[in-house]
Amino acid sequence: MKTQAAASTGRHNARRAADSKAVAVAGRAGFAARGVIYILVGALAVRIAFSDAGGQQADRGGALAEIAHKPFGDVLLWLLGIALAGMALWRLSEAAFGQAGPDGDKPTKRAMAAGRCVFYAFVSYSVLAYAAGEKSSGSGSTDKRTNDVTAKVLDWPGGQWIVAVAGVAVFCVGVWIAVRALMRKFHKHLKMGQMSRRQRQAVDFLGMFGGTARGVLFATAGGFAVASAVKHQAGKSKGMDDTLRSFADTPVGPWLLVLIAVGLIAFGLFSWANARWREV
């Protein structure tokens, strides 16, 4: 009995810690940091649409380099990395104890939270390592890393199938992100009742436009991965920067790239709205 009581008390205390204000603040800081990265990536993509942007990359590495060159850039990078670690901590609490809302305890929700925790932990580590002086960490071209990884996997037995399945998965994730954004599924995660009418309209626009642009970016990258598998050419697989640049090679010229880039900026602003009104 004592053992069961102690275990129950331990679970209760852990749950209280997960629901604590500190974890909520960590999650909100993470959304704010994510917003900064997407806004910078979008701004770099707009710059690339009309010039070569001085060799800058429209991806996370390019965003970190942009911050590093600003006054107090190192301090800002440390704050960004810590905030992203907060996001990872918040996602970990969701994986362990469930998300806010009536269906937050579903195993699929917890599994997705666990995956996001790992992702944000990696991003946080790369940003903090970059801030600490490891300029090769988190700052390299996503295109080169993507090509290198694809080339290695293609050399494995069944590598073409692995790359193809991964590409289809990324494509499906992109479609899923875009569809959920258009259906405004984000409403159930936000405190819509605390917003004014104009704020709700602005959040709806940013969420739908930004989420759709982000989904299109993912889906396009997945399509390039599938093409890489079919042709057995690692160079056909593209990271974020080359995927964005590919939009400028369409018949409408740089304007599709501008549209997607502005959409990423919108998603960054939507992330800031999440930092303010997200149910955590």
Side-chain angles (χ1 to χ4, degrees):
M1 288 294 292
K2 289 183 178 180
T3 302
Q4 291 179 345
S8 177
T9 300
R11 286 194 298 270
H12 177 69
N13 290 337
R15 180 72 194 191
R16 285 184 61 188
D19 292 337
S20 70
K21 187 175 181 179
V23 173
V25 170
R28 296 190 191 284
F31 278 113
R34 187 182 74 176
V36 170
I37 291 176
Y38 270 97
I39 288 171
L40 287 175
V41 170
L44 287 168
V46 170
R47 194 182 303 172
I48 286 170
F50 299 108
S51 68
D52 63 3
Q56 290 177 304
Q57 300 285 317
D59 52 20
R60 186 174 68 247
L64 296 184
E66 186 77 3
I67 294 173
H69 289 101
K70 300 298 181 185
F72 305 105
D74 289 342
V75 175
L76 293 175
L77 286 172
W78 280 105
L79 292 175
L80 193 68
I82 292 170
L84 289 167
M87 173 70 93
L89 175 63
W90 175 59
R91 291 299 189 184
L92 177 62
S93 73
E94 286 191 327
F97 305 106
Q99 302 178 14
D103 60 346
D105 284 332
K106 286 185 177 180
T108 53
K109 297 279 188 180
R110 291 193 179 194
M112 290 174 65
R116 287 166 175 159
C117 170
V118 172
F119 171 76
Y120 282 110
F122 169 77
V123 175
S124 172
Y125 169 78
S126 66
V127 174
L128 291 173
Y130 185 81
E134 295 182 24
K135 300 306 180 185
S136 62
S137 178
S139 63
S141 168
T142 55
D143 305 314
K144 185 179 184 304
R145 291 199 299 270
T146 300
N147 290 342
D148 289 346
V149 171
T150 303
K152 289 180 180 178
V153 176
L154 286 175
D155 288 337
W156 295 352
Q160 279 183 278
W161 285 103
I162 296 173
V163 173
V165 169
V168 170
V170 173
F171 176 84
C172 290
V173 167
V175 173
W176 179 76
I177 290 172
V179 170
R180 286 179 62 85
L182 291 172
M183 293 177 66
R184 297 184 289 185
K185 291 290 188 178
F186 51 81
H187 275 195
K188 64 181 181 180
H189 297 299
L190 299 176
K191 300 174 182 177
M192 303 299 294
Q194 295 184 7
M195 303 179 195
S196 67
R197 182 174 63 86
R198 288 188 177 181
Q199 286 172 334
R200 285 196 298 272
Q201 290 174 339
V203 169
D204 273 351
F205 172 75
L206 294 173
M208 294 173 69
F209 179 34
T212 300
R214 183 172 176 246
V216 169
L217 180 62
F218 272 71
T220 304
F224 282 127
V226 173
S228 176
V230 171
K231 298 183 178 181
H232 205 281
Q233 296 178 6
K236 295 292 183 181
S237 186
K238 300 180 185 294
M240 178 180 284
D241 179 70
D242 272 352
T243 300
L244 283 168
R245 289 175 190 268
S246 70
F247 292 118
D249 297 331
T250 60
V252 295
W255 297 109
L256 181 57
L257 172 56
V258 171
L259 181 65
I260 298 297
V262 174
L264 296 181
I265 293 173
F267 185 77
L269 295 174
F270 177 68
S271 295
W272 286 353
N274 273 263
R276 170 65 178 82
W277 288 295
R278 177 84 178 204
E279 289 277 5
V280 294

